[in-house]
Amino acid sequence: KQLIFCVLLSQVGQVCRLSQESSLRRCRTPDGKICSGRGECDCGICLCEAADPGKFFGPRCECHDWVCSTHNGLICNGTCHCGSCMCDNNNEKGLVTGRFCECDDSECLDEDTGEVCGGHGQCYCGNCYCAAGWHGDKCEFQCDISPWESKRKCTSPDGKICSNRGTCVCGECTCHDVDPSGDWGDIHGDTCECDERNCQSTYDRYTDDFCSGHGQCNCGTCDCKEGWTGKKCEHPLSCSLSLDSSLKKCRGTSTLPCNGRGQCLCGQCICHPPGDSRIHGKNCECDDRQCEDMEGEVCGGHGYCSCGRCICEKGWFGKLCQFPRSCDMSDAQSKELCETEDGVICSGKGSCHCGQCICSPQEWWVSGEYCECDDRECDKHDGLICTGNGVCNCGSCDCWEGWTGNACEIWVGEEY
């Protein structure tokens, strides 16, 4: 009542009953700012300024909805309140969870019993993690052998569970088949010990050929036809160069022959896919696809590509020329947009420019809107992150057109 009375007195031009010191103390934030620097203090009450695209609010103007992080292009899947997502749980069961309210835990409910994960596990973002002795999407099945016996049966000759390429369910391995085509896929064996992908050279991924088309794949190992040699049967014995000499000429300064983007044939690189002029160079060292975003725009429309690197126009910078050098906001406004929920600028792994995080170039694996992602978590194939056929997006590969697979290692485009 006293606060309301003070505001009314002030608004009609009468004297506020609070001292200036008491009034400012009520408006001051823990870091010493008056009304968070976004309004005026009127008799102990903050009158917040308007801000585009939203308004500051809260007792000390500390809140503004538009700083909520986005997920799949949307600000929350619930209601944004003071920079945090408030999930809409209309059924009062609390089944919508997650930082962005992106998780629907109703997918964990057993249709028959209505229990979460059948009462035999816990739900994390719509996926059931079953207790020992239970399995199934909803933890609805019980194993008839002990966990120790199940683990023993699933252990591969190299001591790994399902060779790290499958899931052990009651003593049987369910192999992770990354190939969307075919009846049984590339990974097989009682403990998923056979990986037919080991028989495919980098350039072979554009065809259905194993062992460069010059051999037979036997549980991930190539048995070469007469006249051919090499781990992938890639080297003709008729070549005047030895296999090592041929590969050395094709490597150049890279650790992979033809930089993993072509076929090494008797010391000469044939870049793939055929007809794609974006991949070029003596050792296929230039990949101009690296200058494009996922929509195919080259260097953000503000530069040109030179051997896989963007040369930016005056006034622009960044890996894809995505940052303008000029800025129309203050440092305080800029840094505020770069802060994470815990108040750290760009997760402590980058610098802030005009409200956008520029991640540290010394740590190539750091990425994300707030430099919160580690691209080393993205899947690799042939030693390349996303096999060089896509971009790493916060730990997951976004594949370019014509490619699929966890590591963008599977060519589903036109065969050559």
Side-chain angles (χ1 to χ4, degrees):
K1 292 181 179 179
Q2 184 183 14
L3 291 179
I4 296 174
F5 182 62
C6 285
V7 173
L8 291 175
L9 286 175
S10 179
Q11 288 176 346
V12 297
Q14 298 183 25
V15 178
C16 175
R17 292 185 177 180
L18 293 175
S19 67
Q20 184 178 11
E21 182 181 351
S22 297
S23 175
L24 293 177
R25 184 171 63 249
R26 296 188 181 194
C27 293
R28 187 176 288 114
T29 59
D31 59 0
K33 293 182 179 180
I34 302 299
C35 299
S36 303
R38 306 186 187 107
E40 295 181 359
C41 185
D42 188 354
C43 196
I45 297 295
C46 284
L47 303 179
C48 305
E49 298 173 352
D52 189 20
K55 289 185 177 181
F56 294 106
F57 63 97
R60 296 178 181 83
C61 305
E62 72 274 21
C63 300
H64 50 139
D65 287 347
W66 50 273
V67 299
C68 270
S69 302
T70 59
H71 179 70
N72 291 337
L74 300 175
I75 299 179
C76 299
N77 284 334
T79 303
C80 185
H81 177 73
C82 199
S84 298
C85 285
M86 308 292 290
C87 301
D88 296 332
N89 283 294
N90 298 326
N91 55 14
E92 298 182 355
K93 291 184 178 180
L95 295 176
V96 180
T97 61
R99 178 185 173 188
F100 310 100
C101 304
E102 74 277 18
C103 299
D104 184 2
D105 288 353
S106 63
E107 297 178 7
C108 291
L109 294 177
D110 188 294
E111 295 178 359
D112 297 327
T113 65
E115 291 187 272
V116 174
C117 301
H120 306 296
Q122 292 185 329
C123 184
Y124 296 97
C125 204
N127 296 299
C128 283
Y129 291 81
C130 305
W134 293 88
H135 66 99
D137 291 340
K138 306 291 174 62
C139 305
E140 67 270 37
F141 302 118
Q142 190 172 17
C143 294
D144 55 1
I145 59 175
S146 67
W148 180 88
E149 181 67 12
S150 174
K151 181 178 179 180
R152 186 188 67 80
K153 288 187 174 183
C154 288
T155 301
S156 58
D158 59 2
K160 298 175 182 177
I161 302 299
C162 299
S163 305
N164 284 347
R165 292 192 285 260
T167 303
C168 182
V169 179
C170 290
E172 295 184 3
C173 286
T174 301
C175 302
H176 298 155
D177 183 8
V178 298
D179 193 339
S181 62
D183 295 330
W184 51 270
D186 294 330
I187 302 174
H188 59 102
D190 290 340
T191 57
C192 307
E193 70 276 13
C194 297
D195 190 345
E196 304 298 314
R197 296 175 301 174
N198 292 335
C199 291
Q200 285 190 296
S201 295
T202 303
Y203 62 88
D204 275 343
R205 290 194 301 275
Y206 297 91
T207 71
D208 287 332
D209 288 338
F210 285 104
C211 305
S212 309
H214 307 299
Q216 180 70 38
C217 186
N218 183 16
C219 195
T221 301
C222 284
D223 294 329
C224 301
K225 295 178 182 178
E226 186 177 352
W228 294 88
T229 187
K231 186 177 180 180
K232 309 284 180 71
C233 304
E234 72 274 23
H235 186 67
L237 292 176
S238 59
C239 176
S240 59
L241 297 174
S242 67
L243 174 59
D244 288 343
S245 297
S246 174
L247 294 176
K248 184 177 180 179
K249 289 190 68 174
C250 288
R251 285 193 189 101
T253 57
S254 173
T255 57
L256 294 173
C258 306
N259 284 268
R261 304 185 187 109
Q263 176 185 8
C264 179
L265 191 59
C266 199
Q268 299 291 320
C269 282
I270 302 173
C271 301
H272 284 263
D276 192 339
S277 59
R278 294 175 298 177
I279 302 175
H280 56 96
K282 179 181 177 182
N283 299 116
C284 307
E285 67 274 15
C286 297
D287 186 356
D288 291 348
R289 297 174 300 179
Q290 300 295 331
C291 293
E292 300 179 6
D293 59 21
M294 292 306 295
E295 283 71 45
E297 187 174 42
V298 176
C299 300
H302 305 295
Y304 65 92
C305 190
S306 175
C307 195
R309 294 180 179 272
C310 284
I311 308 299
C312 302
E313 296 173 352
K314 185 178 180 180
W316 294 87
F317 71 103
K319 183 180 178 181
L320 296 176
C321 305
Q322 71 270 41
F323 300 116
R325 292 194 180 277
S326 60
C327 183
D328 58 358
M329 64 175 66
S330 67
D331 285 345
Q333 290 173 321
S334 175
K335 288 181 179 179
E336 190 172 21
L337 293 175
C338 291
E339 283 187 1
T340 56
E341 288 186 345
D342 54 3
V344 179
I345 300 294
C346 300
S347 306
K349 300 175 183 177
S351 59
C352 183
H353 173 74
C354 207
Q356 291 180 285
C357 286
I358 303 174
C359 303
S360 172
Q362 284 76 33
E363 298 176 315
W364 60 265
W365 58 88
V366 178
S367 66
E369 184 179 359
Y370 297 101
C371 303
E372 75 277 20
C373 303
D374 190 337
D375 285 354
R376 292 174 297 185
E377 296 176 359
C378 272
D379 288 324
K380 292 182 180 180
H381 189 61
D382 283 344
L384 296 172
I385 289 179
C386 302
T387 325
N389 299 318
V391 293
C392 185
N393 183 6
C394 218
S396 298
C397 290
D398 286 341
C399 305
W400 290 321
E401 185 178 358
W403 294 95
T404 187
N406 291 339
C408 304
E409 76 277 24
I410 302 167
W411 174 252
V412 292
E414 182 182 353
E415 290 186 11
Y416 293 97

